[in-house]
């Protein structure tokens, strides 16, 4: 029999848990309704201190072994494993799991692409043939004189190597700047196929295999790069080819996008194919009629998390919120179907859904949830699943029993700045180029570029760290690129519109006003961090900012991270040459040899390095100091000093 869970004991002021007013309103309602959320559980269940430091190992039955994080070299495991071995193996397995998630997602997109190209799937098509040709050329495929099907077939065969190849370099290694690639070759970390890299990493971290953290890090980096420049990059490129390459669009976000008088259907997860099919289903005249006959004014399709990010930039579909709002959205009582596929789906959704009579549907064979109903999504007949979910949502609408409270909060953001669009935006259609961006970095108007990405986490105040960090960066003339749940935090804070340029420093403001762009560019879902890698490579190729990604005045951050995917992303940025700062917690004991390797040693090898801070202002200062260090090394620090001595600029900076 299932044991009754401990009731929530500690109650904290809910305003300390989130800076999202709509989520706050729903947390207050949940408390009144007696419904528990992850915020409550995080307050009442302290993170395990030994696990938080990664000072334990359960890789064999001689253990589990627990070391002392306060005196890390005082003990070893039963087998003699040291703290550095134990932590590096644990870190490795996080990277393996995160990389596997992105890679399996990418492979699913590639499977779909193959079936579309072969004509066995007719419900999807190639929407962006120009991108198809560009991607094909980027991996060395000759496109001249070939038709779309020929090019697509060759591209499929080439990209399949990203996953299955046992020897050689992955196809997108051709996109890596020469000096960065040389550093990878020197350290033996150019990925083969991701299946091989993940398999080898799992083997090496088995009991009694690799027990030197300096050797384990090599395979950690190789696996992470197989994700960033492989699994993730294929997912992004194939999604663009099949569903269209995003370009900027103005979008409504926040819980106020739900509509009381309509059938509300939420899609939450990561893979765009489910969402694309659901768009067809909610526009099916017979289903729209059925909704009307049930008394609804229509069917309101809404995205959440990264599924939402995939769809809103391609179709302008509203977005209800990021990861830590996925329980809160159902507390409104207005959700008639919560539909999920893979990744970042909390098991607790089943319980919250039950409390509010919302049907929760899992759709992907990889992700079933006890308490949810599974309606399998099959790309060969996608509408069988999505039509059925719409029918079920209409039925729930007709039989709504729970009172409805929808926070009246909606924000507007402009998102969809793909690498291709940034190119056109800066250089124009006929001179598409990163030259204006590089020029503005060289002349100091833009101090540098930061990628601020990742999850939200109930162990920190939701959205607050993201928003404070980004405000501080743009105030200091750092252009911010965003993916994942982070950009929804910034959209809710109103920073993803061109009008937000008044919060930017004088140099960045001038550039934003000239181009008409926001100082914070939302570029995609968490799998689309590969777009940042492509943009960074393009900046190197354009010239004037060094020869490798490590030379760029750039930095990255995941201030509220929670998932293993985030660690994989962090590691592929570090291995690509980027200084990457994480917040919340870092699963490595400070002052150990493995910590020193991650936070200092990798940079000395010509790669990037990790950083850690919980305070967003400290995080921003660390990133800005790194950007300034790179500017100095490039000899472009003087240009920025000239800009800063301008008094008008100083006054503007003070006002901001
Ligand atoms: Fe303990 Fe070593 Fe087994 Fe890990 S592998 S549980 S450290 S004995
Ligand atoms: S959904 S991995 S919570 S960004 Fe991609 Fe958001 Fe992080 Fe999941």
């Amino acid at each position: 029999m299932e044991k009754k869970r401990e009731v929530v004991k500690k109650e904290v002021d809910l305003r300390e848990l989130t800076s999202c007013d709509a989520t706050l309103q729903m947390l207050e309602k949940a408390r009144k309704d007696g419904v528990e959320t992850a915020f409550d559980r995080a307050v009442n269940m302290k993170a395990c201190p030994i696990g938080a430091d990664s000072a334990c190992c359960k890789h064999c039955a001689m253990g589990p072994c627990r070391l002392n994080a306060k005196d890390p070299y005082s003990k070893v495991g039963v087998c003699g494993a040291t703290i550095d071995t134990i932590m590096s193996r644990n870190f490795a397995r996080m990277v393996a799991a995160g990389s596997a998630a992105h890679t399996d997602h990418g492979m699913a997109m590639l499977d779909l692409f193959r079936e579309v190209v072969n004509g066995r799937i007719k419900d999807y098509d190639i929407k962006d043939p120009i991108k198809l040709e560009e991607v094909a050329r980027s991996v060395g495929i000759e496109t001249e004189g070939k038709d779309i099907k020929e090019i697509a077939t060759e591209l499929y065969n080439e990209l399949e190597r990203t996953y299955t190849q046992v020897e050689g370099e992955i196809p997108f290694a051709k996109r890596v700047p020469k000096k960065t690639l040389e550093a990878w070759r020197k350290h033996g970390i150019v990925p083969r196929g991701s299946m091989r890299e993940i398999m080898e990493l799992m083997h090496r971290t088995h009991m009694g295999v690799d027990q030197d953290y300096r050797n384990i890090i090599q395979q950690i980096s190789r696996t992470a790069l197989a994700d960033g420049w492989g699994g993730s990059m294929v997912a992004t490129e194939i999604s663009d080819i099949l569903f269209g390459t995003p370009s900027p669009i103005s979008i409504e976000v926040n819980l106020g996008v739900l509509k009381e008088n309509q059938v509300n259907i939420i899609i939450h997860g990561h893979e765009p194919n489910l969402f694309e099919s659901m768009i067809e289903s909610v526009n099916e005249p017979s289903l729209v009629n059925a909704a009307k006959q049930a008394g609804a004014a229509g069917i309101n399709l809404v995205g959440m998390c990264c599924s939402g990010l995939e769809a809103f930039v391609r179709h302008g579909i509203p977005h209800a919120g990021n990861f830590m709002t996925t329980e809160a959205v159902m507390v409104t009582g207005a959700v008639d179907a919560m539909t999920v596929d893979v990744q970042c789906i909390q098991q607790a959704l089943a319980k919250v859904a039950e409390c509010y009579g919302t049907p929760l549907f899992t759709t992907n064979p990889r992700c079933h949830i006890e308490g949810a109903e599974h309606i399998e999504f099959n790309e060969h007949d996608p509408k069988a699943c999505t039509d059925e979910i719409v029918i079920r949502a209409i039925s729930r609408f007709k039989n709504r029993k729970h009172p409805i409270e929808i926070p009246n909060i909606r924000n507007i953001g402009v998102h969809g700045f793909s690498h291709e669009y940034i190119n056109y935006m800066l250089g124009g259609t006929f001179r598409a180029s990163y030259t204006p961006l590089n020029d503005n970095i060289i002349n100091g108007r833009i101090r540098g570029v930061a990628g601020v990405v990742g999850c939200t986490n109930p162990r920190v105040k939701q959205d607050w760290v993201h928003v404070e960090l980004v405000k501080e960066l743009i105030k200091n003339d750092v252009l911010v690129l965003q993916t994942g749940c982070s950009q929804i935090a910034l959209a809710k804070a109103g920073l993803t519109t061109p009008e937000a340029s008044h919060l930017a420093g004088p140099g960045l403001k001038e550039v934003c006003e000239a181009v008409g762009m926001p100082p914070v560019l939302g570029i995609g879902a968490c799998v689309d961090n590969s777009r940042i890698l492509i943009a960074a490579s393009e900046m190197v190729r354009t010239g004037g900012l060094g020869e490798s990604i490590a030379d760029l005045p750039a930095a990255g951050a995941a201030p509220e991270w929670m998932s293993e995917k985030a660690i994989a992303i962090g590691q592929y940025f570090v291995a690509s040459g980027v200084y990457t700062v994480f917040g919340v917690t870092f699963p490595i004991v400070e002052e150990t040899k493995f910590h020193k390797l991650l936070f200092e040693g990798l940079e000395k090898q010509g790669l990037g390095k990790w950083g850690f801070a919980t305070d967003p202002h400290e995080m921003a200062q660390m990133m800005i100091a790194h950007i300034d260090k790179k500017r100095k090394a490039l000899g472009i620090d003087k240009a920025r000093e000239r800009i800063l001595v301008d008094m008008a600029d100083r006054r503007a900076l003070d006002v901001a």
Side-chain angles (χ1 to χ4, degrees):
M1 209 173 88
E2 202 186 319
K3 266 211 234 145
K4 200 163 187 291
R5 272 207 317 274
E6 211 182 329
V7 285
V8 173
K9 287 173 277 178
K10 252 193 258 168
E11 280 204 357
V12 292
D13 182 352
L14 292 173
R15 272 169 301 208
E16 287 173 22
L17 303 180
T18 178
S19 57
C20 169
D21 288 339
T23 303
L24 175 66
Q25 188 180 330
M26 288 303 100
L27 293 184
E28 282 162 353
K29 180 172 185 291
R31 195 166 270 183
K32 274 188 252 147
D33 296 345
V35 173
E36 184 192 85
T37 69
F39 288 99
D40 299 309
R41 288 185 291 275
V43 168
N44 284 288
M45 183 166 54
K46 270 200 175 155
C48 164
I50 300 156
D53 282 324
S54 201
C56 55
C57 176
K58 56 180 178 66
H59 289 202
C60 85
M62 294 192 286
C65 300
R66 211 167 68 180
L67 270 52
N68 181 358
K70 298 225 167 21
D71 190 3
Y73 293 103
S74 63
K75 273 170 87 179
V76 292
V78 172
C79 68
T82 62
I83 187 80
D84 294 301
T85 297
I86 289 174
M87 291 186 308
S88 57
R89 285 195 306 214
N90 291 342
F91 195 77
R93 288 198 168 189
M94 292 180 86
V95 169
S99 299
H102 288 139
T103 296
D104 200 27
H105 168 168
M107 194 143 190
M109 292 304 104
L110 200 61
D111 284 340
L112 174 61
F113 181 60
R114 181 193 59 237
E115 295 299 275
V116 169
V117 174
N118 287 342
R120 284 194 285 266
I121 286 184
K122 309 250 184 256
D123 289 82
Y124 304 96
D125 205 354
I126 290 174
K127 281 233 179 81
D128 191 342
I130 295 173
K131 175 127 191 185
L132 171 76
E133 289 192 31
E134 282 169 2
V135 176
R137 280 195 295 270
S138 79
V139 292
I141 294 170
E142 181 55 64
T143 56
E144 201 61 36
K146 292 181 186 159
D147 66 23
I148 294 293
K149 183 161 179 179
E150 273 176 284
I151 297 168
T153 306
E154 281 187 49
L155 182 62
Y156 171 79
N157 290 331
E158 187 62 10
L159 293 187
E160 196 191 53
R161 294 203 289 117
T162 303
Y163 303 98
T164 56
Q165 179 179 269
V166 288
E167 267 314 324
E169 299 179 349
I170 53 169
F172 285 140
K174 293 192 178 73
R175 292 176 162 186
V176 181
K178 198 163 155 261
K179 198 171 148 203
T180 304
L181 190 58
E182 275 167 14
W184 292 1
R185 285 181 179 147
K186 186 171 154 212
H187 298 295
I189 59 173
V190 187
R192 295 160 291 180
S194 54
M195 288 178 180
R196 175 134 211 199
E197 302 309 353
I198 293 166
M199 178 170 65
E200 184 172 325
L201 191 56
M202 293 306 284
H203 176 195
R204 283 205 203 186
T205 53
H206 185 278
M207 188 272 157
V209 187
D210 206 346
Q211 287 154 104
D212 186 333
Y213 69 98
R214 293 164 301 186
N215 202 45
I216 295 173
I217 193 67
Q218 182 252 10
Q219 188 57 22
I220 291 175
S221 293
R222 202 176 194 184
T223 305
L225 291 172
D227 172 1
W229 296 85
S232 283
M233 201 172 274
V234 170
T236 299
E237 301 297 56
I238 294 296
S239 298
D240 284 356
I241 291 168
L242 287 177
F243 307 123
T245 304
S247 57
I249 181 164
S250 180
I251 298 142
E252 279 196 313
V253 294
N254 220 330
L255 290 178
V257 301
L258 295 175
K259 296 193 172 115
E260 184 162 359
N261 62 350
Q262 296 201 21
V263 178
N264 293 299
I265 299 177
I266 305 260
I267 307 276
H268 161 34
H270 281 80
E271 294 182 355
N273 41 351
L274 170 72
F275 215 130
E276 295 284 332
S277 175
M278 187 58 92
I279 292 169
E280 299 279 315
S281 292
V282 299
N283 286 303
E284 183 67 48
S286 62
L287 293 175
V288 174
N289 271 342
K292 289 197 170 140
Q293 272 169 16
I299 305 173
N300 186 32
L301 180 59
V302 169
M304 287 200 91
C305 258
C306 285
S307 285
L309 291 167
E310 293 277 358
F312 78 163
V313 289
R314 295 196 175 103
H315 302 281
I317 295 202
H319 197 290
N322 54 26
F323 174 64
M324 279 315 297
T325 301
T326 53
E327 286 173 295
V329 72
M330 287 190 288
V331 179
T332 60
V335 179
D336 298 302
M338 169 67 103
T339 311
V340 301
D341 55 20
V342 287
Q343 302 171 16
C344 307
I345 325 282
Q346 299 188 61
Q347 185 162 2
L349 295 191
K351 187 84 199 148
V352 182
E354 189 193 332
C355 292
Y356 292 96
T358 293
L360 171 66
F361 298 110
T362 54
T363 57
N364 191 295
R366 297 166 185 83
C367 171
H368 287 227
I369 296 176
E370 218 183 322
E373 186 177 343
H374 190 75
I375 302 181
E376 190 132 323
F377 178 78
N378 178 346
E379 288 96 346
H380 292 86
D381 186 11
K383 285 186 73 228
C385 165
T386 50
D387 283 358
E388 174 64 18
I389 290 171
V390 175
I391 291 165
R392 302 287 292 278
I394 293 169
S395 156
R396 194 271 184 182
F397 176 89
K398 214 162 39 179
N399 299 299
R400 279 183 184 175
K401 290 188 184 71
H402 294 264
I404 288 176
E405 179 182 332
I406 300 173
N408 189 18
I409 305 174
R410 272 179 304 279
N411 311 94
I412 298 282
V414 180
H415 298 248
F417 293 88
S418 56
H419 147 70
E420 289 79 1
Y421 189 81
I422 294 175
N423 219 8
Y424 297 140
M425 172 175 76
L426 295 168
T429 312
F430 299 108
R431 295 183 293 116
S433 139
Y434 272 59
T435 304
L437 174 64
N438 282 24
D439 285 350
N440 278 306
I441 293 173
I442 293 164
N443 69 29
R445 278 192 193 88
I446 296 177
R447 191 176 198 150
V449 179
V452 180
V453 307
C455 328
T456 49
N457 183 325
R459 301 231 171 257
V460 296
K461 187 172 179 176
Q462 184 193 6
D463 297 345
W464 184 79
V465 198
H466 288 292
V467 174
E468 290 300 306
L469 169 63
V470 170
K471 276 187 183 165
E472 192 66 20
L473 289 171
I474 62 171
K475 192 169 105 181
N476 284 282
D477 290 319
V478 176
L479 176 66
V480 174
L481 306 181
Q482 290 218 281
T483 62
C485 292
S486 183
Q487 69 177 298
I488 295 304
L490 270 297
K492 288 187 283 179
L495 265 82
T496 56
T497 58
E499 293 72 37
S501 60
H502 76 276
L503 294 169
L508 178 59
K509 183 171 179 238
E510 194 184 325
V511 176
C512 289
E513 284 176 353
V515 181
M517 69 178 191
V520 179
L521 303 179
I523 66 169
C526 53
V527 80
D528 296 326
N529 280 305
S530 54
R531 295 194 203 276
I532 300 183
L533 296 176
I534 297 169
S537 304
E538 208 49 49
M539 285 166 73
V540 173
R541 230 181 306 280
T542 300
L545 294 174
E547 295 170 57
S548 75
I549 294 175
D551 294 335
L552 293 173
E560 300 184 22
W561 77 280
M562 64 86 200
S563 80
E564 292 171 314
K565 289 184 293 166
I567 288 285
I569 291 166
Q571 185 62 30
Y572 73 61
F573 271 104
V574 167
S576 298
V578 181
Y579 176 43
T580 305
V581 186
F582 268 37
V584 191
T585 182
F586 202 86
I588 304 294
V589 180
E590 282 184 36
E591 300 301 322
T592 53
K593 289 184 272 182
F594 186 56
H595 188 277
K596 285 204 181 95
L597 177 62
L598 294 182
F599 283 66
E600 295 164 27
L602 293 178
E603 190 179 39
K604 292 186 190 127
Q605 297 174 12
L607 310 177
K609 65 175 176 182
W610 284 90
F612 172 68
T614 51
D615 176 73
H617 303 102
E618 185 189 344
M619 209 178 272
Q621 288 319 315
M622 287 160 68
M623 294 165 77
I624 291 166
H626 180 81
I627 285 170
D628 286 350
K629 184 176 94 178
K630 293 294 173 185
R631 294 187 66 87
K632 192 158 186 214
L634 290 166
I636 57 172
D637 49 326
K638 298 283 177 287
R640 185 157 171 83
E641 275 168 25
R642 275 199 301 279
I643 290 251
L644 284 178
V645 291
D646 182 294
M647 284 314 290
D649 285 348
R650 284 204 172 192
R651 275 195 293 275
L653 198 62
D654 287 344
V655 171

